[in-house]
Amino acid sequence: MLKTTGHRHSAAARLMLGAVLVYALPANAQEDDAPPGTLPSLGAADAGASVVGVSSGGYMALQLAVAWPERFAGMGVLAAGPWSCSQGSLSLALNQCMMTRRGAPSLETLNTRWANYREQDQVGSEPSRGALRAYVWHGEEDTVVEPELGDLLAEQLEQWLSSDDQLKVARSAQTGHGWPVSLAGNKQSLSQPLGNCQSGGGSHLLACDEDIAADMLDWLHPDAAPAETPADQGELIRFDQSDFDAKGLADNGYVYLPAGCDDGSCEVTIALHGCQMNAEQIGETFVRGTGLNEWADQHGRIVLYPQAESTLANPQGCWDWWGFAESSWQLNPLHDTRQGTQVSALMAMLDRLQSSSNADNNE
């Protein structure tokens, strides 16, 4: 049962970290043997972009939207906590931003962090941040990222957004850590089984029969009317990420291109996987199975699926929400700012999609 509200929920804290530090062996790393191409310049619409993500991808989605709010219309965050929760510390990430055994993160401290960044022009302006639409979801049985942290994110956004009407908070009972998906609406075959709705795990796409993707994108883009006639299924394209070199990026990423979206008329959604959800570990299950592609076909929206890599330093292929991708000598890594190496790479991908091929040829 999906429950939604425009304001913060209270929830009992979960104190179980789960198996988040266990390395998952790669499975079906590449399902397409054809060599990857280049991320195309499509002249995609500058306005109306959004960024969504789950778990570490949810934290990264926040970092992108807060660093560059003037570039996004909205952000969707599943199974994650407040912006900049880790403050560049792995210890805080584990003990205050996944479980709260060191206490809940202080929103006042995080607001001060944002203000300091703003003085250095490292994040967007307060009016731009306040204009975003936001969607926050959490499973009530999440034992990886405590639901209390989703409550704190909602509270943080209530303080930041210009109106309560810009925020939707959704909670799902008897649902664990991951991304719930519709069982009937998904038209694409998946290489990995769906996870258990209540306990999560597996591919972290959860067999809850809830179309969270549609609920989220309907909220973030309320003016996007569906096509009157059924749309043809679009194309999932694998591309070489080396043009956007940054520590922690995998060799290849994906972009979903609905029919008719190569003419410059479509907007872009960046979709960020969570830990253990990259293509190296679960094949193309995330990039095909979230429900985003089906919504994109019906509404004419490009979906960009960047990929993080699994390494010894980051075995689960998480996005950098605690500073591991920054220089090792930095006492205060800038991973959550405009200078963050992964933030910069992801924004460069968005720039590529929104640029025109003619403009590229004239450079």
Side-chain angles (χ1 to χ4, degrees):
M1 176 68 71
L2 179 67
K3 300 186 295 183
T4 65
T5 179
H7 54 79
R8 181 171 61 94
H9 288 270
S10 62
R14 271 68 171 183
L15 299 177
M16 181 176 178
L17 179 60
V20 296
L21 297 180
V22 177
Y23 178 69
L25 293 176
N28 292 334
Q30 298 296 345
E31 299 183 6
D32 181 1
D33 293 331
T38 299
L39 183 65
S41 299
L42 297 173
D46 290 337
S50 57
V51 56
V52 303
V54 57
S55 194
S56 73
Y59 277 116
M60 177 58 81
L62 278 167
Q63 291 174 185
L64 258 66
V66 173
W68 295 101
E70 64 274 16
R71 298 289 303 276
F72 294 101
M75 58 183 171
V77 182
L78 312 183
W83 170 82
S84 198
C85 183
S86 74
Q87 303 177 64
S89 164
L90 177 58
S91 178
L92 285 180
L94 293 173
N95 297 299
Q96 202 169 59
C97 304
M98 296 177 68
M99 62 174 61
T100 55
R101 61 186 176 190
R102 287 182 54 178
S106 164
L107 295 186
E108 182 179 356
T109 297
L110 299 181
N111 285 342
T112 299
R113 183 178 179 88
W114 180 88
N116 291 336
Y117 279 156
R118 181 58 198 153
E119 289 181 357
Q120 304 167 45
D121 198 28
Q122 294 282 23
V123 293
S125 69
E126 186 171 352
S128 294
R129 184 187 68 179
L132 292 166
R133 290 181 70 83
Y135 181 95
V136 174
W137 174 88
H138 223 104
E140 292 185 351
E141 302 301 323
D142 192 332
T143 58
V144 177
V145 178
E146 292 180 11
E148 178 186 357
L149 292 159
D151 297 336
L152 283 170
L153 169 57
E155 182 177 345
Q156 184 182 61
L157 293 175
E158 285 176 340
Q159 297 174 8
W160 286 1
L161 301 180
S162 299
S163 168
D164 289 343
D165 294 338
Q166 295 164 230
L167 173 64
K168 182 173 183 178
V169 178
R171 298 293 292 270
S172 294
Q174 298 182 334
T175 302
H177 186 73
W179 182 309
V181 298
S182 169
L183 303 181
N186 197 304
K187 301 176 182 178
Q188 304 192 44
S189 60
L190 305 180
S191 62
Q192 298 292 306
L194 298 177
N196 179 276
C197 182
Q198 186 163 4
S199 61
S203 65
H204 294 290
L205 293 186
L206 307 181
C208 302
D209 206 17
E210 292 183 6
D211 196 348
I212 293 297
D215 191 53
M216 176 167 56
L217 292 183
D218 283 344
W219 175 258
L220 296 180
H221 305 288
D223 297 328
E228 294 182 1
T229 57
D232 294 333
Q233 185 171 313
E235 181 181 7
L236 183 67
I237 301 170
R238 187 163 56 99
F239 67 91
D240 184 353
Q241 290 191 150
S242 63
D243 288 347
F244 314 97
D245 187 35
K247 184 175 180 180
L249 284 189
D251 291 339
N252 302 316
Y254 295 82
V255 63
Y256 188 78
L257 190 62
C261 277
D262 54 357
D263 63 358
S265 63
C266 295
E267 298 168 348
V268 179
T269 289
I270 301 174
L272 301 172
H273 62 74
C275 302
Q276 299 182 335
M277 297 176 73
N278 60 6
E280 185 178 356
Q281 299 190 54
I282 64 169
E284 294 180 352
T285 300
F286 179 79
V287 301
R288 292 185 181 275
T290 60
L292 292 173
N293 298 345
E294 285 73 22
W295 196 95
D297 281 333
Q298 291 299 312
H299 296 81
R301 173 165 289 267
I302 299 164
V303 186
L304 174 67
Y305 294 101
Q307 295 288 299
E309 69 174 344
S310 303
T311 64
L312 289 177
N314 178 34
Q316 294 191 54
C318 303
W319 290 104
D320 183 19
W321 61 282
W322 69 89
F324 77 84
E326 304 304 301
S327 300
S328 59
W329 49 263
Q330 283 183 312
L331 294 177
N332 297 300
L334 298 176
H335 63 289
D336 50 356
T337 74
R338 292 180 171 183
Q339 290 188 5
T341 181
Q342 289 191 359
V343 167
S344 298
L346 295 173
M347 293 305 297
M349 293 183 195
L350 179 61
D351 289 340
R352 173 73 65 80
L353 289 172
Q354 292 178 339
S355 67
S356 68
S357 57
N358 290 336
D360 292 342
N361 292 335
N362 291 332
E363 289 181 354

